[in-house]
Amino acid sequence: MSHIIADFLLSVKDRAHMLTVTDAAAVSEAFGALVRAMVRQTPATLEAARAPITAIQFDRVRRFIAENLKSPDLTPDTI
C-alpha cells in the first residue's frame, strides 16, 4: 500500500496545477480512502480504496508505456 500511496501522491503532484475545487475534494477523499485501507485493511476499507487504487495502477501503466514507447522490448508481457 505504501507504493500505491506514493504513486498517488506523485500523480497528484504532477496534476496539482490543473485541479479544480471539485477535483481537490475528490483527491482528498481518495487519499483518505487509501490511508484508511493502509492502516486498517478490512474488506470495507479495501473496497472504498478500490477506485483510487485502480486509477493509480492505470496511471502507472500509462507512464510506463509512455517512457518505453520506442523500446523494442515493450510488449504486453512487459507491461
Side-chain angles (χ1 to χ4, degrees):
M1 283 299 290
S2 62
H3 292 289
I4 291 171
I5 290 177
D7 282 347
F8 177 82
L9 292 174
L10 288 174
S11 179
V12 170
K13 177 183 160 247
D14 292 343
R15 294 177 178 85
H17 67 283
M18 299 182 294
L19 293 178
T20 65
V21 172
T22 303
D23 294 335
V27 166
S28 177
E29 180 60 34
F31 183 68
L34 290 170
V35 170
R36 284 187 293 279
M38 183 177 77
V39 172
R40 190 162 188 236
Q41 294 186 11
T42 66
T45 60
L46 292 172
E47 180 60 33
R50 181 186 300 225
I53 290 170
T54 300
I56 293 161
Q57 290 171 329
F58 180 77
D59 190 57
R60 182 185 288 174
V61 169
R62 186 189 56 75
R63 281 183 294 163
F64 179 82
I65 291 170
E67 291 168 2
N68 294 282
L69 196 56
K70 295 183 181 184
S71 171
D73 298 328
L74 184 63
T75 64
D77 290 335
T78 308
I79 295 170

